[in-house]
Each structure stands twice: as structure tokens, then as C-alpha cells.
Amino acid sequence: MKNPLRALLALAALVAGMPCPAADWSPARAVHLVVPFAPGGQPDVVARALAEPLSHALRQPVIVDNRPGAGGNIAADAVAKAAPDGCTLLVGTNGPLAVSPAIYRSLPYDPLRDFAPVTLVGTSPNLIAVNAASGMASLADLVARAKAAPGALNFSSVGKGSISQLSMELLDSAAGIRMVHIPYNGGAPAVAALLAGDVQALSLNPTALIPQVEAGKLRVLAQTSAQRSPLIASVPTVAESGYPGFEATVWMAVMAPAATPPEAIARLNAELVKIIRDPALKRALWDRQWIDPVGSTPAEVTQVLRRERAKWERTVKDAGIEPE
């Protein structure tokens, strides 16, 4: 045979393409959970909570690999281009998976084309908050004040293209108001601006806001999920406050490279869904992180991706945000 290496590669490809039951698939090496953000944030905490039980289930080390930068796009691109063997997974969020196509003129990956969804991990609402001394007690108060003085109210966010910004832009569109976006580099300075009175509103995850709410310095007007989170059941949703259909949650999903074998996706899905829905993990982690655990089919992840991408593309266009 003139080229035995080519023949061996062809045989290997043929064998790899043969279907086998999900239970028969196991990773051939350590599994990397790639996190698009720095250690300590919500996606990182979630990835580390999944890593140990997933390692026991797969009988391979599971390594959390933080690759921050470019709003999560660096990590997403790395996973999209990784070997499709089930050993490199992205713990992705709205940003790189649904918002980036609207914010960046040219992405090196396509979230729908270049990934094979594994499961939706969970969702978390943002809370729309104001300074407790503002005199505003409801979302209706905020909208009325914004309508009375178009462009006079500012809102802070954790950065351009974040759900922190886009949830407020979506509110602007739904309520027919115009508030001015003031981006900050992270949650702490965005909250500090609201406390100082430099801005009049903020949409942010509960973990960053609740300490200031409990201290009596901030007041929560609404949560941005479609239904009330059981973790914050006393706070009405934006939809309940007069804007039906409003939803702007932060969500996380596990994604694999597009060509990952179906049996690998099926095994990873089965193991991760069991872990995500474990009541002990809910008590130990999800409640502390204000996350509503999901655990879904891959097809359901695709539906979420399509719906979210279309929504944020419209929102970015309506807000006049210039893509980078």
C-alpha cells in the first residue's frame, strides 16, 4: 500500500462515524470546561460546581479552563475550533452565544453553525433597581419619570452589549421611553454609580444587588424573567408591571464543537442533566447564586439560541447601538 498512514486515518474516521449507544461513549482524555470569563463570576462558579460530579460520572478529570476576553468571544472561538471529541466544552452565556452576533461586525465563529448544544444549565433574572432615596417605588414610577424628561435619566451597566445594558434598552423600547446608557467596567462600579446618584437605574444580577438592597440603600422595582423566580418571589416581573412578553434573563448553556459525535452529546447531556437537577446541588449552589436550574435537551438549547439571537438583534438595532 502506497500510503498506509492515509489508510489508517480513513479506517479511524470510518470507525469514529459508526453510531453507538450513548452509554458506551466515554471521553478518551481529560474534559475541559472552558469558561469565557475570569474566575469568581457566576459562570466560573457554575463550571466548578459541575466539574467534580461530571468527573466522577465520566471517570476522567474535568478541568475548568478560564479564558476571559472580548466579551466571551475568545473562549467561544477556541471551543468552536477544538477537536470535536467531547473533551472540550464551553460553559457559555447569552453574550458570546446570542448577543455577540449583533454587537460585532465580524465574529470568527457562528453560534448556531459552529456548536453542538449539550444542555441549558440554568437561568437567572436581572433585577431593575433604583436608589432607595429616589422616591421611586415601582417600575411605573421609573417609566413615568423617564417619560416626563426624555433623555434626562441615566442607567449604568457592566459594559456595552451586556444583558445589564440590553435589558434596559429592551425596557426603553417596550415602554416608549429614552434613558441614557452609561457603561462601567463591571458590576461594582455600576452599583457604586447608582449609590452615588450618578445614574438613576441599573439592571444587574441579584448577587451584586441584594447586599445593598438588604442594607436599605437600593430598591428593586422588577425582575426581568418571564415568570417570577421562586428565589425572589416577592418582586414582580417587568411583564407583570405592564409589559407582557418582556424577558431578559441571563442564561448558561454547555456547548460542544459542532462535529462532536451524537453519542458523546447524548452521554454528556444525560450526565449533566442529572447533576443540574440534583436537589442537593440546588440547595448548595443554585439558591446561593440566584440561578433557576434547568437541564434541557440539545434541541431546546437550539430553540433558545434562535429566539434570543433574534430578540437581541432587534434590540440592538432599535437602540441604535453601533456594532464594533
Side-chain angles (χ1 to χ4, degrees):
M1 184 176 290
K2 291 184 178 180
N3 195 332
L5 177 58
R6 180 176 295 177
L8 285 171
L9 288 174
L11 178 61
L14 179 63
V15 171
M18 292 179 179
C20 66
D24 291 345
W25 179 85
S26 294
R29 57 187 176 87
V31 174
H32 284 246
L33 294 180
V34 180
V35 178
F37 305 103
Q42 203 176 52
D44 175 71
V45 172
V46 166
R48 294 180 190 280
L50 298 177
E52 184 176 353
L54 185 60
S55 176
H56 289 310
L58 298 177
R59 298 184 179 180
Q60 281 284 6
V62 176
I63 300 165
V64 176
D65 185 354
N66 297 88
R67 300 192 194 183
N73 297 342
I74 290 173
D77 185 45
V79 174
K81 293 176 172 58
D85 56 4
C87 296
T88 304
L89 306 172
L90 177 71
V91 182
T93 64
N94 311 53
L97 294 175
V99 176
S100 286
I103 295 294
Y104 296 92
R105 296 183 191 279
S106 179
L107 276 181
Y109 64 91
D110 184 293
L112 288 168
R113 181 194 64 213
D114 295 334
F115 293 104
V118 178
T119 185
L120 192 66
V121 177
T123 66
S124 179
N126 269 9
L127 302 181
I128 297 177
V130 296
N131 195 301
S134 67
M136 291 182 279
S138 68
L139 192 64
D141 291 341
L142 175 62
V143 170
R145 193 168 295 187
K147 284 186 175 180
L153 269 63
N154 301 327
F155 68 90
S156 59
S157 83
V158 302
K160 179 181 176 180
S162 63
I163 297 301
S164 176
Q165 176 196 1
L166 294 182
S167 56
M168 294 299 286
E169 301 286 8
L170 189 61
L171 176 63
D172 270 10
S173 179
I177 58 177
R178 182 168 60 86
M179 293 184 283
V180 178
H181 174 224
I182 309 295
Y184 288 83
N185 187 24
V191 172
L194 184 59
L195 291 168
D198 297 332
V199 300
Q200 287 70 52
L202 168 64
S203 173
L204 197 58
N205 67 76
T207 54
L209 290 176
I210 291 300
Q212 299 297 339
V213 173
E214 291 177 341
K217 297 179 180 180
L218 297 181
R219 178 178 295 119
V220 175
L221 305 183
Q223 55 179 305
T224 63
S225 47
Q227 290 86 35
R228 295 191 192 197
S229 167
L231 301 174
I232 327 168
S234 63
V235 177
T237 65
V238 176
E240 290 175 312
S241 303
Y243 306 99
F246 188 102
E247 182 179 11
T249 57
V250 175
W251 48 262
M252 283 168 279
V254 176
M255 313 289 283
T260 301
E263 59 271 20
I265 297 296
R267 174 78 189 282
L268 289 166
N269 174 270
E271 300 296 355
L272 282 167
V273 168
K274 277 193 292 187
I275 294 166
I276 292 164
R277 294 180 179 177
D278 182 354
L281 189 60
K282 176 173 172 56
R283 290 190 298 271
L285 175 72
W286 304 137
D287 290 356
R288 294 180 184 177
Q289 290 294 315
W290 302 85
I291 295 171
D292 295 323
V294 179
S296 72
T297 66
E300 288 168 333
V301 180
T302 299
Q303 291 172 1
V304 169
L305 285 178
R306 292 186 185 279
R307 183 175 68 247
E308 288 276 295
R309 181 167 175 172
K311 174 171 64 182
W312 297 127
E313 284 177 347
R314 288 193 306 271
T315 302
V316 166
K317 183 178 180 180
D318 290 346
I321 300 171
E322 286 293 327
E324 297 179 1

